[in-house]
Amino acid sequence: MTTSAALDAGATPESAAGVSAASPPKARPAFGILAAISGSHMINDMMQSLILAMYPILKGEFSLSFAQVGLITLTFQLTASLLQPVVGYFTDRRPQPYSLPLGMMSTLIGLMLLAYAPRYEVVLLAAAFVGIGSSVFHPESSRIARLASGGQHGLAQSVFQVGGNTGTAVGPLLAAAVIVPFGQRSVAWFGLAALLGIVLLLQVSRWYATHHIAPGARKPVVAAAPYPRKVVVGAIAVLLVLIFSKYFYVAGLSSFYTFYLMERFGLTVQGAQLHLFYFLFASAVGTVAGGTVGDRFGRKPVIWFSILGVAPFALLLPHANLFWTTALTVVIGLILSSAFSAILVYAQELMPGKVGMVSGLFFGFAFGMGGLGAAVLGLLADRTSIAFVYQAIAFLPLLGVVAALLPKEARLR
């Protein structure tokens, strides 16, 4: 109601002014969209984790070395990491709502290639197609999660991330239940999940096409950066160091975990994949906690605790028996996974108006460090042993101490 309309209705000037000055009602998260984008993330990352879970099968089928196993991860992660910042930068300027189903289509092609790969080079090509799908999916879907957050950015990113982590956790279970008994070509059945993902993303894309700028509205005014450029660049550099610490460690822990358990404790492939599921499922649970706690108490304490807090458990892990190895990896998964949502939202608040570019940069750098870590640590495992790799990476979480260099959050809010 305008001021003049209020006066015509008999209201006093003071009350009419109060009506016009009243702040709009607080937005609520669009939980339906968040659920759809989280479900799509689960499907996307489940199909990615099938590659990880198939490593023992592919190693035997193609007589691969650990370095060649690491190269599969490197191929997937590099195609994802190099393209994501570019995709994010482009879509910041020109949003592409319907790019999401196309990204899932690329992942589907990669999955089909993986199912029928006759030689190692085709496995690498399949990994590249899956990586391209991720490079398209993550920046835009992260932007949609923020748009649908209703101001609860940490919660929205956590809901989005928990879908991905859940998919990553489910992958080894599905591999143990389907791929191990029925062989490499059974991967093709998971194409049905990719088709479901395409349907979900078409619905999300329709919503995004009508909500990224409200009908009739001008382009929203972008808030000024909370700190001078030098401080922002320094803070982004610190966050990237933390991403390196987290994902290099996770690459060593997850890429070779099944081999570590089989070599040290004599587990079967299916038994080792079940233990990998425990670790990945704990990571999914920890993701939710990181975002919600960050919304309430601040991102910096979550970032500090989630990286540095893992260090004592990581240092104990190489010396533990099977029971304590499982227990320690569950604790590590719970704590370490809480970092990414907090880091991503913190970075988005440092660089307002560049959600896609920031999301692409951090997802891409995370994927790149994961791929580089898998390749380097695979080469190290060939020259030494898996046990030595686990001893070496145990010191990486100590880099979490650099979180002390991050600026205070008061100005970000």
Side-chain angles (χ1 to χ4, degrees), residues 338-398:
S338 63
F340 190 77
S341 294
I343 289 174
L344 183 59
V345 174
Y346 190 99
Q348 289 172 345
E349 291 171 347
L350 283 170
M351 301 178 69
K354 299 180 179 179
V355 174
M357 189 187 75
V358 170
S359 300
L361 172 64
F362 277 84
F363 275 110
F365 190 75
F367 279 38
M369 286 302 99
L372 182 62
V376 170
L377 295 173
L379 186 61
L380 182 62
D382 280 334
R383 297 191 175 185
T384 57
S385 68
I386 293 291
F388 179 80
V389 167
Y390 270 59
Q391 292 171 3
I393 64 175
F395 295 93
L396 284 172
L398 292 174

Side-chain angles (χ1 to χ4, degrees), residues 154-155 158 286-302 305 338 342 409 413:
L155 172 64
S158 289
T287 301
V288 179
T292 52
V293 172
D295 279 339
R296 180 174 291 273
F297 299 106
R299 323 284 176 208
K300 188 173 177 180
V302 173
F305 173 73
S338 63
E409 289 185 82
R413 299 182 181 281

Side-chain angles (χ1 to χ4, degrees), residues 10-331:
T12 64
E14 290 79 11
S15 64
V19 170
S20 63
S23 58
K26 186 177 180 180
R28 297 182 61 187
F31 286 111
I33 295 300
L34 290 176
I37 203 68
S38 182
S40 303
H41 199 186
M42 181 182 73
I43 293 170
N44 183 79
D45 285 21
M46 178 196 73
M47 292 187 291
Q48 293 171 19
S49 73
L50 290 175
I51 300 176
L52 181 71
M54 285 181 66
Y55 281 171
I57 298 170
L58 294 173
K59 189 175 188 294
E61 180 72 21
F62 299 106
S63 302
L64 306 180
S65 66
F66 284 118
Q68 288 175 308
V69 170
L71 186 58
I72 298 172
T73 304
L74 178 63
T75 302
F76 157 65
Q77 304 283 35
L78 279 185
T79 51
S81 64
L82 294 177
L83 290 175
Q84 284 199 47
V86 177
V87 172
Y89 178 80
F90 177 76
T91 54
D92 276 335
R93 296 171 174 268
R94 194 183 296 273
Q96 302 292 321
Y98 289 94
S99 63
L100 291 172
L102 294 177
M104 187 67 73
M105 182 65 71
S106 176
T107 302
L108 174 60
I109 293 170
L111 205 64
M112 293 298 103
L113 285 173
L114 182 63
Y116 295 99
R119 57 187 185 274
Y120 176 64
E121 292 77 9
V122 179
V123 173
L124 294 180
L125 181 62
F129 268 100
V130 175
I132 292 169
S134 283
S135 71
V136 175
F137 176 81
H138 285 98
E140 279 294 79
S141 54
S142 181
R143 184 204 310 279
I144 292 171
R146 188 174 179 88
L147 182 65
S149 69
Q152 299 182 49
H153 304 308
L155 172 64
Q157 287 297 332
S158 289
V159 171
F160 170 60
Q161 282 296 113
V162 78
N165 286 353
T166 302
T168 301
V170 168
L173 283 184
L174 294 174
V178 179
I179 299 173
V180 172
F182 297 105
Q184 179 185 346
R185 293 196 174 185
S186 63
V187 175
W189 286 104
F190 294 98
L192 295 174
L195 292 174
L196 174 60
I198 291 170
V199 171
L200 279 175
L201 289 174
L202 282 170
Q203 305 306 313
V204 170
S205 295
R206 290 192 186 98
W207 180 88
Y208 180 37
T210 58
H211 286 78
H212 73 278
I213 295 179
R218 295 181 179 179
K219 188 175 180 179
V221 178
V222 176
Y227 293 101
R229 180 181 177 85
K230 183 177 179 180
V231 175
V232 170
V233 170
I236 293 293
V238 169
L239 294 175
L240 291 177
V241 169
L242 295 172
I243 290 290
F244 161 77
S245 168
K246 170 180 164 60
Y247 280 92
F248 219 84
Y249 179 73
V250 168
L253 190 62
S254 59
S255 293
F256 305 107
Y257 191 43
T258 52
F259 299 112
Y260 177 74
L261 294 173
M262 291 161 64
E263 178 183 299
R264 182 163 183 190
F265 303 112
L267 270 63
T268 64
V269 172
Q270 288 173 309
Q273 287 173 335
L274 184 61
H275 282 74
L276 178 60
F277 165 75
Y278 297 150
F279 164 67
L280 297 173
F281 182 76
S283 298
V285 173
T287 301
V288 179
T292 52
V293 172
D295 279 339
R296 180 174 291 273
F297 299 106
R299 323 284 176 208
K300 188 173 177 180
V302 173
I303 294 169
W304 177 278
F305 173 73
S306 63
I307 305 292
L308 191 60
V310 165
F313 305 106
L315 292 167
L316 286 171
L317 182 62
H319 311 287
N321 60 23
L322 179 59
F323 172 80
W324 284 109
T325 293
T326 304
L328 287 169
T329 51
V330 166
V331 173

